[in-house]
Amino acid sequence: MTEKLSDTGRETVLAPLLANGWEMTEGRDAIKKTFKFEDFTEAFSWMTRAAMWAEKWDHHPEWFNVYNTVEVTLSTHDVGGLSSLDAKLARKFDAL
């Protein structure tokens, strides 16, 4: 079972994500990032690739898309906050 990130885990896994443009979400234990693309087709293609990984890992993002912008929020609802799954998915999304 997935567990909420410990203080040590947060320091280890969140620091590189925050340095790469992810931000803590105000008012909740979550991280968020806005991805910008050339156009809608590129944004939707990225979302499709991201969705395949989310489904494979059974960990699904909250996201919002308008034209060439995708806003992503990650948190593990089962543990009431951030888990290693959120960090793993954030790293994959950055790599896509």
Side-chain angles (χ1 to χ4, degrees):
M1 175 166 171
T2 302
E3 295 181 5
K4 196 170 183 176
L5 284 176
S6 66
D7 290 341
T8 304
R10 286 172 181 278
E11 292 175 17
T12 305
V13 301
L14 291 183
L17 295 174
L18 297 175
N20 200 28
W22 289 87
E23 303 173 331
M24 296 302 299
T25 303
E26 189 174 330
R28 61 187 284 211
D29 192 23
I31 55 174
K32 64 182 179 178
K33 186 172 183 178
T34 299
F35 294 86
K36 290 260 187 190
F37 300 93
E38 193 68 31
D39 56 26
F40 177 75
T41 302
E42 190 178 313
F44 197 85
S45 296
W46 179 87
M47 289 177 72
T48 301
R49 292 189 308 276
M52 300 299 279
W53 285 101
E55 188 65 19
K56 179 179 179 174
W57 291 337
D58 193 27
H59 191 60
H60 305 92
E62 299 170 23
W63 57 17
F64 180 77
N65 165 244
V66 174
Y67 185 59
N68 68 336
T69 303
V70 181
E71 297 173 9
V72 178
T73 302
L74 298 174
S75 185
T76 303
H77 300 282
D78 293 345
V79 301
L82 290 168
S83 75
S84 60
L85 285 173
D86 299 303
K88 181 179 179 180
L89 203 54
R91 287 189 302 269
K92 178 52 76 175
F93 287 179
D94 283 341
L96 293 175

